[in-house]
Amino acid sequence: MAGPADMSEVHAALDRLRPQLCHCGLKGECLGCKGIEMIRVQAEAVVAAASQPILLQVAQEASMKDMATRFQAMSERLLSDPEIRRSAEEMQQRLMSDPETRQLLEELMRRLGAPPEESEGR
């Protein structure tokens, strides 16, 4: 990119849209005002991220992949220890025996798109 991005048109458009959506007299308290501010912040974040040199973006992505690989290796090492594995299984059983925790986990998995596990004993 040659220079900083000019977001004045985006900000002007959001400023024109805000009064059309506002229900609080532009006090920043209603969903319309909060939504416009959220979009403004997101647009600024996108421009800031896209304005970074491509090498920095690639380095950040590589760093995230490296961290994920290290975490996976650490998990595998920990679960290869029979005592730690047994403790993890006991903890999982205790957590899943609580109906509220089980419901929260099932809801989380649904939101993440994973198929729900069959209920045990229900």
Side-chain angles (χ1 to χ4, degrees):
M1 233 174 144
D6 179 13
M7 294 192 62
S8 60
E9 291 293 321
V10 173
H11 289 298
L14 290 172
D15 290 341
R16 286 190 304 272
L17 183 59
R18 185 176 176 185
Q20 297 174 43
L21 302 175
C22 179
H23 296 284
C24 69
L26 300 176
K27 294 178 186 172
E29 298 169 354
C30 70
L31 184 59
C33 289
K34 290 178 181 180
I36 292 296
E37 288 311 307
M38 182 180 71
I39 291 170
R40 186 184 312 271
V41 169
Q42 288 177 341
E44 290 172 356
V46 167
V47 169
S51 299
Q52 293 180 350
I54 190 68
L55 291 177
L56 184 55
Q57 291 177 19
V58 170
Q60 288 174 339
E61 185 176 330
S63 176
M64 291 299 292
K65 286 180 181 178
D66 179 56
M67 184 172 54
T69 301
R70 288 178 183 214
F71 183 76
Q72 177 71 27
M74 179 186 68
S75 297
E76 289 171 2
R77 277 194 312 271
L78 287 173
L79 291 178
S80 67
D81 181 328
E83 189 174 325
I84 292 175
R85 185 178 194 93
R86 191 172 28 259
S87 294
E89 288 170 354
E90 288 173 7
M91 185 161 133
Q92 180 183 11
Q93 286 175 346
R94 276 187 256 146
L95 280 173
M96 295 308 281
S97 67
D98 177 34
E100 186 177 342
T101 301
R102 184 179 188 91
Q103 183 181 9
L104 289 171
L105 287 172
E106 288 173 354
E107 176 64 24
L108 176 63
M109 295 308 286
R110 272 194 298 278
R111 288 183 182 195
L112 294 175
E117 291 185 26
E118 291 300 317
S119 297
E120 296 175 24
R122 279 199 208 176

